[in-house]
Amino acid sequence: MYNDFMQEYIQLGHMSQIKDIDLNFPHYVIPHQCVLRPDAETTKLRVVFDASCKSTTHVSLNELLMVGPTIQPELFTTLLRFRCRKWAITADITKMYRQVAISDDDKKFQLILYRHSPDEPIRTYCLNTVTYGTAPAPFLAIRCLQHLSDMFADQYPLGCKVIREEFYADDMLSGANDITELKQIQKEVVEILNSGGFKLAKWHSNHPSLLEKENYEKALEDDGNSTIYALGVTWSP
């Protein structure tokens, strides 16, 4: 499972092998390990990167990076608003951080060591995208979502408002008292996020007509008895 995760990382272009690296110039190698989540709906194993690990200089990458301000709504507010409407819809962004590229000049600070098996030589790779485990990762990814909402504010006002107010990191918890409005929210949010390479998946809703879509990744589904987690709170659609 670990190797499958890393192989996908390579195939998607989210990390690349480096043949030659000049160790005399500033760089940072990030340790990595796995987190197992047997109850997860999709990814059972996730590789995480420890940018808080101190190097031989006794300083970690995270100690040198600016974190960025908190720019998303408070968790309590998001959950409260979610419970106030008759019809609800949830989804999350697939690999949100990894849809955001980082500058070529910064990639030397996101190096990792990896090999597929003990029989292979250890290879050096650089992570090409925003990396989970680095201090500014949440800010960078959320700021990109907000930038998209600014770009489409005139074209998709309803969807942009949802992206700004009803997302908590990569989780969307939205709703409406009118089913027509809810369908419009779904349509606009998908259009806006697709334009930036952000794909929404793991759809759930308490309205049957929203469960008939065929063009969404991990399409809307409900067996009538399912219980899911919405930001840690159990919800039976």
Side-chain angles (χ1 to χ4, degrees):
M1 291 171 68
Y2 203 110
N3 282 332
D4 289 345
F5 187 100
M6 299 301 278
Q7 195 59 41
E8 182 193 51
Y9 228 110
I10 295 170
Q11 290 173 348
L12 293 174
H14 296 167
M15 79 179 194
S16 308
Q17 185 177 349
I18 298 178
K19 299 293 185 181
D20 301 301
I21 178 170
D22 189 342
L23 299 179
N24 294 314
F25 284 88
H27 62 282
Y28 182 79
V29 180
I30 309 179
H32 50 93
Q33 62 188 44
C34 69
V35 173
L36 284 168
R37 302 183 306 162
D39 298 330
E41 192 171 344
T42 51
T43 308
K44 307 294 184 182
L45 178 147
R46 186 185 302 275
V47 175
V48 296
F49 302 90
D50 184 10
S52 294
C53 182
K54 296 182 186 296
S55 71
T56 53
T57 63
H58 305 293
V59 177
S60 71
L61 177 64
N62 278 346
E63 288 178 278
L64 301 176
L65 290 172
M66 295 182 68
V67 177
T70 300
I71 56 174
Q72 64 184 355
E74 291 184 4
L75 177 59
F76 177 80
T77 305
T78 304
L79 285 170
L80 190 62
R81 184 184 289 114
F82 176 62
R83 297 173 65 117
C84 285
R85 276 78 64 98
K86 180 178 181 180
W87 304 114
I89 190 169
T90 66
D92 70 24
I93 300 172
T94 302
K95 302 178 179 65
M96 180 174 78
Y97 289 4
R98 287 162 55 184
Q99 308 312 316
V100 183
I102 65 165
S103 166
D104 288 339
D105 292 337
D106 296 330
K107 291 179 181 178
K108 59 181 175 290
F109 299 108
Q110 291 195 161
L111 303 180
I112 67 165
L113 304 178
Y114 171 70
R115 60 181 175 184
H116 190 76
S117 77
D119 300 325
E120 296 181 358
I122 295 175
R123 298 183 175 93
T124 303
Y125 293 83
C126 69
L127 304 179
N128 300 320
T129 61
V130 168
T131 299
Y132 183 81
T134 55
F139 169 79
L140 293 173
I142 295 166
R143 181 66 186 85
C144 285
L145 296 186
Q146 294 194 355
H147 182 67
L148 283 175
S149 73
D150 291 339
M151 289 174 60
F152 290 91
D154 294 331
Q155 186 177 356
Y156 297 122
L158 190 58
C160 290
K161 186 173 187 293
V162 168
I163 290 173
R164 279 202 164 269
E165 298 180 1
E166 299 182 10
F167 269 77
Y168 192 82
D170 58 347
D171 289 298
M172 179 181 81
L173 281 77
S174 187
N177 290 319
D178 178 76
I179 188 59
T180 303
E181 181 182 343
L182 188 62
K183 289 180 177 179
Q184 187 65 22
I185 287 173
Q186 181 189 26
K187 178 180 180 294
E188 292 189 10
V189 169
V190 169
E191 289 285 340
I192 296 166
L193 294 186
N194 277 350
S195 72
F198 296 100
K199 303 297 182 183
L200 283 164
K202 292 192 285 189
W203 293 89
H204 296 281
S205 177
N206 62 340
H207 194 286
S209 71
L210 287 174
L211 308 178
E212 299 167 357
K213 299 293 182 181
E214 298 178 354
N215 299 321
Y216 298 106
E217 185 178 349
K218 294 182 177 58
L220 291 147
E221 57 186 27
D222 183 21
D223 60 9
N225 299 304
S226 62
T227 298
I228 65 166
Y229 287 96
L231 293 180
V233 178
T234 54
W235 174 45
S236 174

